Amino acid sequence: MSTIHVPTRWGAIPASYSFVQQTPSSSKLAVLFPGFAYPLDAPLMRYAASAAYDSGCDVLGVEYGYQANRADLQEEDQSYLVDEIVVALKNNIGQQYSNVVFIGKSLGTIIQTEVARNIGFSVENHVFLTPLRKVIPSIRDAENALVVVGDNDSLFNSSDISEVANLPNVQLHVLSGANHQLETDNYRESIDLLKTTAMLCGGFCKHL
């Protein structure tokens, strides 16, 4: 694993993007976009990354500049965050991959769609883990999408789920009892939900 250090407007500490590459080289890349207070080493991100790598992808994990500097993020600053990521990807990744998948959690689902619009190369595949309501138009527009959400998620409720339920481009999985972290109050159930989510991510990435 290598680390890409990215300068950021949020402070002196650069953001650290983890980059794990296959040997021999892969034509598939998974880029992970964590949640607001849900970093790359949190369970869903960690195991989504492992599943993507196991499915043959190189894996790039984005750390946000405000996370690196323990700063706050205001909604009006999200465009700066997107700009930083776009520049970092263009400078360090380029267009060497024939298949790219963006995997986001919560806030990350907003960031991944904005980055995809501005990156300058095609991102046809998206994994939306606990997406936010604002992302529904982007889910509709995605060429190939996996959506994983809990039926006890107050940030993406039953009416939101119904809006994406029958889209031909979307594989939708609604996990019973799961909240916005795709967990329940029972740790055994939460572990099972984590395993299910990781396997869904792996299967999606394997068939890119």
Side-chain angles (χ1 to χ4, degrees):
M1 183 180 76
S2 60
T3 301
I4 299 169
H5 298 290
V6 177
T8 172
R9 72 189 299 271
W10 275 273
I13 302 172
S16 297
Y17 291 25
S18 60
F19 193 26
V20 185
Q21 295 174 277
Q22 301 278 344
T23 304
S25 61
S26 175
S27 63
K28 300 193 297 184
L29 174 68
V31 183
L32 277 79
F33 299 83
F36 174 73
Y38 200 89
L40 289 171
D41 58 359
L44 289 171
M45 290 286 92
R46 177 181 176 187
Y47 286 100
S50 295
Y53 183 80
D54 191 59
S55 300
C57 296
D58 289 355
V59 179
L60 179 70
V62 171
E63 181 186 45
Y64 304 137
Y66 75 87
Q67 291 176 331
N69 288 276
R70 305 296 189 266
D72 197 11
L73 176 71
Q74 305 298 324
E75 186 172 356
E76 58 268 24
D77 291 334
Q78 287 185 17
S79 62
Y80 297 111
L81 184 62
V82 170
D83 290 343
E84 283 187 1
I85 296 168
V86 168
V87 170
L89 295 184
K90 285 183 175 179
N91 287 346
N92 293 282
I93 302 301
Q95 302 183 38
Q96 71 229 49
Y97 295 96
S98 57
N99 287 292
V100 178
V101 55
F102 281 2
I103 303 173
K105 163 77 172 78
S106 192
L107 171 69
T109 63
I110 294 175
I111 302 303
Q112 76 186 81
T113 57
E114 292 300 317
V115 171
R117 290 189 185 100
N118 293 280
I119 195 62
F121 57 82
S122 177
V123 182
E124 299 177 357
N125 309 288
H126 287 269
V127 176
F128 299 100
L129 303 178
T130 67
L132 300 179
R133 188 172 296 116
K134 184 178 179 179
V135 180
I136 290 175
S138 297
I139 295 174
R140 290 197 195 101
D141 292 342
E143 292 191 39
N144 182 32
L146 169 66
V147 177
V148 185
V149 66
D151 65 3
N152 194 30
D153 185 346
S154 61
L155 299 180
F156 202 84
N157 61 31
S158 58
S159 63
D160 301 321
I161 291 171
S162 67
E163 289 197 46
V164 301
N166 297 307
L167 296 174
N169 59 317
V170 174
Q171 303 173 38
L172 172 65
H173 294 267
V174 182
L175 304 185
S176 179
N179 59 20
H180 191 61
Q181 281 69 45
L182 295 182
E183 297 176 347
T184 73
D185 291 335
N186 184 299
Y187 77 90
R188 293 184 180 87
E189 292 176 351
S190 297
I191 291 171
D192 288 340
L193 291 168
L194 176 61
K195 179 180 178 181
T196 296
T197 304
M199 292 181 69
L200 289 169
C201 290
F204 185 83
C205 292
K206 184 175 183 179
H207 294 100
L208 295 180

